[in-house]
């Protein structure tokens, strides 16, 4: 047992003191010392908090550390050999161990040590108590002496005040006498004694007496006398802390008027250039103390003045403004400058905390702004004048004074200063004025005070002028080059201005009124324009100033309004004698920095920091679709990638540090280079925020490194940037939509981490959670703890390209034995353990079989919504056979497989998946079974099945698909009219009739009408050389052409699905399967000649098109199963631009692309169509765009899903036909407008499902119910008028997407 140290004794003394204070109520209530001792002895029984006291915890810990080994040894001795039989009972064992421990030497030593220590502790506490009692008695004697001097009749005293002083009651007669003694005609000693007496009396008695009015006058007169000021301020301070506002406002206003009189009578001179103000002088010191008291009250009064009438608050505010503006109204006409109250107030409260608090609440802000507007506008004029003066007085001495003031005032270790020069006073006044104006202009009514007429100024100063003045201040006093976080609270001019500009950027209305103005943007970009033009700048420190400029520009660009201003407002900046866009100036300057084409900046130590700052501004633009549209032509991604490769190669050459060598410089250089490399990687990664940007990132060759960098930050839960509110969720989803993106995610370890985290949440639970109570049985199919992992998996596997990349050619393990500790690490492993649970071994390997398998089936349901993903799963893993077998085995009688299937959560899920993958159709063509059970005798009314075909109840009655008996204008037009000479007029007339038919008679556009329409339009376009975007197809449809063509299992399964759908639509005959197979072979043979030979490792690029050709199948159905007409139409269509977008298989790895684009694995449907859907969605349906951002999902994922399978299972057949015809007749850009229209149609549901955290599941599993082309065609035509010039032009540039 170790002895207790002196520190332990001090700790015990503190803990014992705390214990006694905590139980003082119980002890003080004891009638005798014996009873108090009895209470202490039984404290554990009577006090529920006994074991929470720190003293008890300390004793328990001390006992455990002293006797722990003794108890363990005794336990081992008693439970070894035969002794275990002697003390077999648990209670007997405890009793024996306790007895032996108490008999041990260690126990006696511990008790003796504790006893000695506690005696010392208790004695020390008693001595301290005695000292406290003596101190109190001395204070009481001092108070009695004070009372005897005043000859009070009452000797009783009340409780202590907040100032720890005792008060005596005082009568009205005595207060009357004291008021008379305070009269200014009385001797000074008499008045001092009266003041001392009043300081000892309760302020409430003094303030409520009948003589208060005369007392207040006498107080004010006493304030002007040096010998009495201290006593008056002491009384005022006590009154402020303990009196209500209706009384303290009178004291405050009296104090303000007294200060006005003092400044007026004394007329203190403002120090000249060489002179200084000594605040320790009696005259200045008295004024500062009064102002200090007022300032403290100003900052505290906001906490309670809302509980009082507004007139009280108005009196306080008006008296303050009157004091601060007094000399501006009544100053002398001479040239000598006087010291004003605001100068001293700025020394006390340099950042105008009092004004910030007054402007914070609406209750007080309304009064402040009203008084400033009507009576005290000269306060704003003075503040504005000071800022203007500081900006104009750019002299070396002024700058140094400001810097020295900042250094000395910001260092708490320096001794308190008593002397301030004139320049330092001017600077403190400038800071105070800047803070007042900055707070003023963030409110609408504050901005309405502008413009302000100034003395010696011809034109009034506007809001824009003020911001320009502040920016010029920032230019002339740039900050030292350091990180943003170190500038918090700094008094450097640049830091103060930046704080104000940041505050304005964060408020939409403020930014619009103050920042988004041509003069402001011109001022911000003036140094940039000058450097681009090889002109000299008047900047004190160009690099540091440009970093500040970049910070402001980035914050402006982070807002939608600011981004639009930079991208589309041409009248902002003048460069090369003409107006241009701000975005172009910024990206040109950034490229010059990257290429080190600015010698004056490239040699600076902060060149990388400066370059990174401007890249960040560009990043805020190119991580949006509209911004990338403007910046793409500059090739910024290539410049950043080139710099990254250069930096990466240099960092690899840095030698390994050798032991004993000087490594300071090399370590710093290495750290700097690593930071710069990460900055460049982060900037490249942000191209992946948009679909087209992801293609550009893939083309740089740095996608794997960027995704690895993202993964490292993702695991640390870091933000994308300081301007980004969300994490990397959206970017991960965007990257996962493409084959190279998901391959990079897989190689980085992201997929493995996601699978392991899911398994931990699903099967293992939280290891670090205390098992206080068992986990509740999940009521939802997917427990809330697993929902995030489920949605992450859906985001990862949303695209069929990502599914093919992660699952293609990867069989399931199907082991004969699984250990409970075996954790899956890949998507195939996850499918093997959670979805393909087809053996007892797999069932027994799961801790929560039903919950985990349900999770897997839910995931399978979402995956199968993408038809190409389902075809891959079915072709590789026979998912349907596995589910049917599980249904057959899930019967009550295990001896037969023909009994009724048991209804449980798993059989319901399996039934839902089986119906989803076997029954094709849109919202009015098929019926999906519910997953919910109902009350009553029949909890599940949907029939289950264990063999094909599914019950007919899942197929809705076929509506009349034949066209109306009325003659369709489109079918009549080509036949009855002579073809015009102008091809454009023929097509324009046809488009007009087509639109008219869709809007007025949509039912006429079906069957033979649409087939004829497609044939005629495609034939007309392909016959014109000007309308052929690709070279015409050189393919002869002969039998020998398809002799060696073999259809894959995926294509065969797709053909069977199309055949079933065609039979349901009553379009195909029973022998149409062979015709469809023939068509698919011809198409496959033709497209194989249209593809490049690639050496890519991507699975989706190695064996032709990954998936089924849904466009060819759709055309086959439109042509009613006519193989010849279908093939002819497809061959003609292949020369049209629209085929690149509505026919994904045709453009896959196409020879019409440059080799690097063809091998990218990113389809144009994604980097063109989906890109512009996101861009238009943000402008036209902003709520839906925001909902996607919040959910971590992307519109591009759903567009890729819908368009790849031609909206099968999402729209009815008539709408699918109209979609194909619209894109062919009206132009491929209508594909973009259609997706935007669909999202607009789904907006109510999208917003509701986002709140429920099931947006992805809703969009994938639910059909697009209620959508009609006829209802949204006019909306799409409006989008065409607004955006065709941008969208169609970019689509026509498909062969050179990087330009």
């Amino acid at each position: 047992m170790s002895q207790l140290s002196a520190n332990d004794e001090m700790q015990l003394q503190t803990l014992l003191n705390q214990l006694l204070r905590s139980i003082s109520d119980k002890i003080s209530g004891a009638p005798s010392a014996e009873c108090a001792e009895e209470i202490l002895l039984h404290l554990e029984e009577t006090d529920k908090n006994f074991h929470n006291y720190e003293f008890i915890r300390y004793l328990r810990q001390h006992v455990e550390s002293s006797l722990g080994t003794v108890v363990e040894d005794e336990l081992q001795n008693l439970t070894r050999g035969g002794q275990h039989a002697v003390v077999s009972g648990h209670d007997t064992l405890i009793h024996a161990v306790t007895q032996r421990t108490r008999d041990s030497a260690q126990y006696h030593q511990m008790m003796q040590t504790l006893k000695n220590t506690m005696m010392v502790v208790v004695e020390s506490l008693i001595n301290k108590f005695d000292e406290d009692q003596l101190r109190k008695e001395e204070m009481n004697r001092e108070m009695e002496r004070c009372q005897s001097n005043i000859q009070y009749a009452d000797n009783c005293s009340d409780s202590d005040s907040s100032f720890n002083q005792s008060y005596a009651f005082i009568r009205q007669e005595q207060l009357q006498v004291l008021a008379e003694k305070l009269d200014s005609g009385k001797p000074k000693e008499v008045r001092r004694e009266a003041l001392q007496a009043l300081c000892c009396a309760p302020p409430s008695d003094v303030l409520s007496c009948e003589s208060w009015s005369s007392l207040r006058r006498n107080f004010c007169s006493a304030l002007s006398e040096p010998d009495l000021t201290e006593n008056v301020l002491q009384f005022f301070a006590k009154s402020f802390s303990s009196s209500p506002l209706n009384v303290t406002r009178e004291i405050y206003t009296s104090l303000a008027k007294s200060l006005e009189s003092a400044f007026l009578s004394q007329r203190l001179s403002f120090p000249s250039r060489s002179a200084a103000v000594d605040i320790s002088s009696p005259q200045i010191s008295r004024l500062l103390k009064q102002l200090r008291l007022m300032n403290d009250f100003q900052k505290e009064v906001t906490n309670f003045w809302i509980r009082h009438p507004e007139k009280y608050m108005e009196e306080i505010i008006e008296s303050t403004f009157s004091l601060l503006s007094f000399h501006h109204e009544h100053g002398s006409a001479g040239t000598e400058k006087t010291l004003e109250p605001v100068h001293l107030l700025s020394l006390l409260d340099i950042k105008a905390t009092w004004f910030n608090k007054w402007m914070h609440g609406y209750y007080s802000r309304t009064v402040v702004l009203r008084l400033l507007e009507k009576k005290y506008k000269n306060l704003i004029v003075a503040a504005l004048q000071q800022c203007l003066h500081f900006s104009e007085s750019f002299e070396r001495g002024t700058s140094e004074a400001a810097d020295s003031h900042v250094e000395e005032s910001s260092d708490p270790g320096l001794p308190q200063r008593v002397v301030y020069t004139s320049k330092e006073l001017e600077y403190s006044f400038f800071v105070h004025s800047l803070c007042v104006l900055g707070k003023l202009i963030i409110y609408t009514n504050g901005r309405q005070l502008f413009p302000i007429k100034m003395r010696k100024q011809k034109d009034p100063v506007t809001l824009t002028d003020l911001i320009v003045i502040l920016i010029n201040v920032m230019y002339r006093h740039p900050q030292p080059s350091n990180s943003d976080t170190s500038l918090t609270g700094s008094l450097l001019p640049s830091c103060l201005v930046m704080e104000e500009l940041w505050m304005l950027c964060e408020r939409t209305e403020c930014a619009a009124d103050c920042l988004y103005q041509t003069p402001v943007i011109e001022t911000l970009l003036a140094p940039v324009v000058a450097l681009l033009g090889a002109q000299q700048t008047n900047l004190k420190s160009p690099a540091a100033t440009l970093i500040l400029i970049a910070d402001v520009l980035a914050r402006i660009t982070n807002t939608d309004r600011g981004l639009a201003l930079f991208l589309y407002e041409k009248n902002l900046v003048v460069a090369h004698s003409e107006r241009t866009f701000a975005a172009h100036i910024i990206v040109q300057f950034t490229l010059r920095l990257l290429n080190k084409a600015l010698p004056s900046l490239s040699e600076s130590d902060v060149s990388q920091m400066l370059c990174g700052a401007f890249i960040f501004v560009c990043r805020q633009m190119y991580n949006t679709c509209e911004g990338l549209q403007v910046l793409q032509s500059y090739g910024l991604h290539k410049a950043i990638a080139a710099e990254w490769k250069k930096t990466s190669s240099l960092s690899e050459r840095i030698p390994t540090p050798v032991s004993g060598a000087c490594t300071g410089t090399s370590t710093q250089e290495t750290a700097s280079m690593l930071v710069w490399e990460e900055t460049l990687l982060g900037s490249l990664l942000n191209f992946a925020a948009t679909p087209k940007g992801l293609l550009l990132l893939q083309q740089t060759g740095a996608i794997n490194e960027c995704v690895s960098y993202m993964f490292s930050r993702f695991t640390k839960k870091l933000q994308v940037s300081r301007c980004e509110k969300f994490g990397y969720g959206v970017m991960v989803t965007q990257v996962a939509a493409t084959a190279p993106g998901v391959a990079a995610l897989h190689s980085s370890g992201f997929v493995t981490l996601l699978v392991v985290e899911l398994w931990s949440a699903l099967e293992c639970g939280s290891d670090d959670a205390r098992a206080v109570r068992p986990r509740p049985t999940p009521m939802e199919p997917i427990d809330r703890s697993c929902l995030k992992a489920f949605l992450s998996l859906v985001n990862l596997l949303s695209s069929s390209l990502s599914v093919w990349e992660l699952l293609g050619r990867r069989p399931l393990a199907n082991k004969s034995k699984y250990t409970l500790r075996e954790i899956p690490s890949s998507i195939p492993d996850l499918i093997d353990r959670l979805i393909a649970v087809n053996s007892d071994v797999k069932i027994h390997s799961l801790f929560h079989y039903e919950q985990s398998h349900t999770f897997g089936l839910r995931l399978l349901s979402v995956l199968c919504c993408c038809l190409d993903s389902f075809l891959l799963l079915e072709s590789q893993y026979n998912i349907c056979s596995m589910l049917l077998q599980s249904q057959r085995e899930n019967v009550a009688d295990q001896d037969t497989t023909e009994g009724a299937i048991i209804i449980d959560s798993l059989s319901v899920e399996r039934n839902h998946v089986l119906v989803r993958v076997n029954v094709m159709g849109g919202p009015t063509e098929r019926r999906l079974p519910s997953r919910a059970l109902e009350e009553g005798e029949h909890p599940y009314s949907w029939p289950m099945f264990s063999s094909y075909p599914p019950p007919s109840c899942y197929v809705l009655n076929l509506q009349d698909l034949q066209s109306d008996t009325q003659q369709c204008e489109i079918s009549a037009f080509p036949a009855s009219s002579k073809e015009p000479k102008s091809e454009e007029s023929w097509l324009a007339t046809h488009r007009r009739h087509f639109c008219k038919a869709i809007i007025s008679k949509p039912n006429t556009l079906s069957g033979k009408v649409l087939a004829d329409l497609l044939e005629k339009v495609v034939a007309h376009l392909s016959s014109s050389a000007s309308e052929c975007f690709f070279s015409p197809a050189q393919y002869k449809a002969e039998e020998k052409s398809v002799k060696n063509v073999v259809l894959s299992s995926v294509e065969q399964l797709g053909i069977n699905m199309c055949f079933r759908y065609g039979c349901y639509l009553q379009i195909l005959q029973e022998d149409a399967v062979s015709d469809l197979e023939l068509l698919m072979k011809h198409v496959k043979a033709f497209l194989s000649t249209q593809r490049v030979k690639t050496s890519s490792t991507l699975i989706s690029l190695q064996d032709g098109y990954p998936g089924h050709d849904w466009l060819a199948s759709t055309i086959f159905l439109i042509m009613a199963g006519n193989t010849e007409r279908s093939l002819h139409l497809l061959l003609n269509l292949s020369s049209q631009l629209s085929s690149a977008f509505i026919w994904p298989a045709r453009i896959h790895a196409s020879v019409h692309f440059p080799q690097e684009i063809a091998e990218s694995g990113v389809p144009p449907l994604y980097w063109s169509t989906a890109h512009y859907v996101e861009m238009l969605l943000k402008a036209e349906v902003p709520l839906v765009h925001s909902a996607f951002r919040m959910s971590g999902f992307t519109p591009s994922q759903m567009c890729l899903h819908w368009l790849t399978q031609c909206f099968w299972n999402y729209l009815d057949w008539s709408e699918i036909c109209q979609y194909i015809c619209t894109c062919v007749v009206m132009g491929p850009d209508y594909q973009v407008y259609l997706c935007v229209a669909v999202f607009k149609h789904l907006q109510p549901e999208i917003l509701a499902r986002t709140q429920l955290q099931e947006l992805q599941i809703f969009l994938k599993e639910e059909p697009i119910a209620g959508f009609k082309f006829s209802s949204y065609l006019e909306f799409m035509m409006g989008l065409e008028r607004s955006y065709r010039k941008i969208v169609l032009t970019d689509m026509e540039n498909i062969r050179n997407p990087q330009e």
Side-chain angles (χ1 to χ4, degrees), residues 1201-1212:
H1201 181 166
W1202 288 335
L1203 299 174
T1204 301
Q1205 61 193 53
C1206 297
F1207 287 98
W1208 281 44
N1209 284 349
Y1210 288 98
L1211 292 177
D1212 291 333

Side-chain angles (χ1 to χ4, degrees), residues 974-995:
S976 61
S977 302
K978 293 182 179 180
E979 187 171 342
K981 296 180 181 180
S982 172
E983 296 176 359
E984 291 186 5
S985 62
W986 183 92
L987 191 59
T989 305
H990 220 79
R991 286 170 176 167
R992 186 170 64 253
H993 284 290
F994 177 70
C995 294

Side-chain angles (χ1 to χ4, degrees), residues 444-580:
T444 303
N445 292 335
R447 294 193 296 274
Q448 288 175 356
L449 296 175
F450 289 81
I452 293 177
K453 182 66 178 175
M454 304 283 293
R455 294 193 303 271
K456 300 179 183 180
Q457 291 280 342
K458 181 179 178 181
D459 299 322
V461 178
T462 63
L463 263 177
T464 303
D465 296 334
L466 173 61
I467 303 302
V468 170
I469 290 170
L470 298 183
I471 294 173
N472 286 326
V473 169
M474 180 179 72
Y475 287 173
R476 292 166 183 171
H477 303 278
Q479 69 191 45
S481 56
N482 51 10
S483 60
D484 293 337
T485 54
S486 64
L487 299 177
T488 304
S490 174
L491 295 179
L492 284 168
S494 58
C495 300
L496 295 167
V497 172
M498 288 297 289
E499 286 179 7
E500 301 301 334
L501 294 179
W502 290 344
M503 194 160 50
L504 295 176
C505 290
E506 292 172 356
R507 291 165 171 80
T508 305
E509 293 182 4
C510 296
D513 293 342
C514 301
L515 297 178
Y516 304 157
Q517 305 296 326
T518 300
V520 174
I521 304 300
E522 280 187 337
T523 306
L524 281 171
L525 291 178
V528 177
V529 173
L531 288 168
L532 279 176
Q535 301 172 7
Q536 291 295 325
T537 61
N538 296 324
L539 301 178
K540 182 180 177 182
S541 177
T545 305
L546 287 168
I547 290 174
L548 294 178
I549 293 173
D551 191 286
V552 177
L553 294 176
R555 291 174 189 272
I556 293 176
T557 316
N558 190 49
T559 63
D560 292 339
R561 179 80 178 271
L563 179 63
L565 188 77
F566 281 8
L567 295 178
Y568 307 125
E569 185 61 52
K570 193 173 184 178
N571 295 323
L572 285 179
V573 185
V574 178
H576 307 294
S577 302
E578 63 179 13
R579 292 282 177 180
T580 185

Side-chain angles (χ1 to χ4, degrees), residues 1203-1250:
L1203 299 174
T1204 301
Q1205 61 193 53
C1206 297
F1207 287 98
W1208 281 44
N1209 284 349
Y1210 288 98
L1211 292 177
D1212 291 333
W1213 174 245
S1214 60
E1215 306 301 319
I1216 294 174
C1217 295
Q1218 290 179 24
Y1219 154 65
I1220 300 295
C1221 291
T1222 301
C1223 292
V1224 172
V1225 175
M1226 304 297 292
D1229 54 329
Y1230 266 77
Q1231 190 181 57
V1232 175
Y1233 312 144
L1234 168 64
C1235 291
V1236 176
V1238 170
F1239 283 124
K1240 181 179 177 65
H1241 173 74
L1242 294 174
Q1243 175 171 314
E1245 279 288 346
I1246 287 175
L1247 299 181
R1249 300 300 179 125
T1250 303

Side-chain angles (χ1 to χ4, degrees), residues 182-184 191 195 198 212-226 228-229 231-233 235-236 249-262 265-266 286-287 290:
L182 273 179
D183 187 82
S184 57
R191 296 168 69 192
L195 282 172
L198 287 172
W212 167 242
S213 57
S214 61
L215 279 172
R216 186 175 61 174
R217 286 194 305 272
N218 295 332
F219 278 137
C220 291
S221 62
L223 278 173
S224 60
E225 300 184 32
L228 302 178
T229 304
N231 298 101
V232 177
L233 292 179
F235 176 78
F236 280 2
R249 67 183 171 89
E250 296 180 353
I251 299 176
Y252 183 86
T253 54
S254 300
L255 194 55
K257 289 178 181 178
S258 173
L259 274 169
E260 281 187 27
S261 303
S265 60
Q266 296 176 18
R286 285 197 304 274
L287 297 175
Q290 295 178 55

Side-chain angles (χ1 to χ4, degrees), residues 39 138 173 291 312 347 407 427 521 746 785 793 795 844 909 969 976 1038 1067 1091 1115 1132 1157 1265:
I39 291 173
E138 185 177 350
E173 303 84 53
L291 274 171
Y312 293 169
L347 288 178
E407 292 171 3
Y427 183 71
I521 304 300
H746 185 265
S785 62
L793 269 179
N795 293 346
H844 296 153
E909 288 293 338
E969 295 181 8
S976 61
E1038 300 177 356
I1067 294 176
R1091 296 197 176 105
I1115 295 297
N1132 286 337
I1157 300 296

Side-chain angles (χ1 to χ4, degrees), residues 1000-1013:
S1000 59
K1001 301 174 183 178
N1003 293 332
T1004 63
L1005 295 176
S1006 57
K1008 185 177 181 300
V1009 174
L1010 288 178
D1012 294 341
L1013 169 67

Side-chain angles (χ1 to χ4, degrees), residues 1055-1123:
I1055 288 171
N1056 293 334
M1057 293 180 71
C1058 297
F1059 174 71
R1060 291 199 304 270
Y1061 189 40
C1063 291
Y1064 162 73
L1065 295 173
Q1066 300 176 9
I1067 294 176
L1068 301 181
Q1069 303 298 324
E1070 292 184 359
D1071 58 348
V1073 173
S1074 58
D1075 294 335
L1076 183 54
E1077 287 181 353
L1078 180 61
L1079 174 65
M1080 287 301 175
K1081 289 182 178 181
H1082 277 295
V1083 171
K1084 188 172 184 179
F1086 164 65
L1087 293 181
S1088 64
T1089 65
Q1090 301 285 302
R1091 296 197 176 105
V1092 298
K1093 294 182 179 180
T1094 175
S1095 58
S1096 173
T1097 58
L1098 296 175
I1099 294 176
S1100 57
L1101 291 176
Q1102 293 178 10
D1103 293 326
Y1105 179 69
H1108 181 69
D1109 193 338
W1110 297 103
L1111 187 277
S1113 299
T1114 304
I1115 295 297
F1116 183 77
L1117 295 186
I1118 291 176
M1119 295 300 171
N1122 189 317
T1123 303

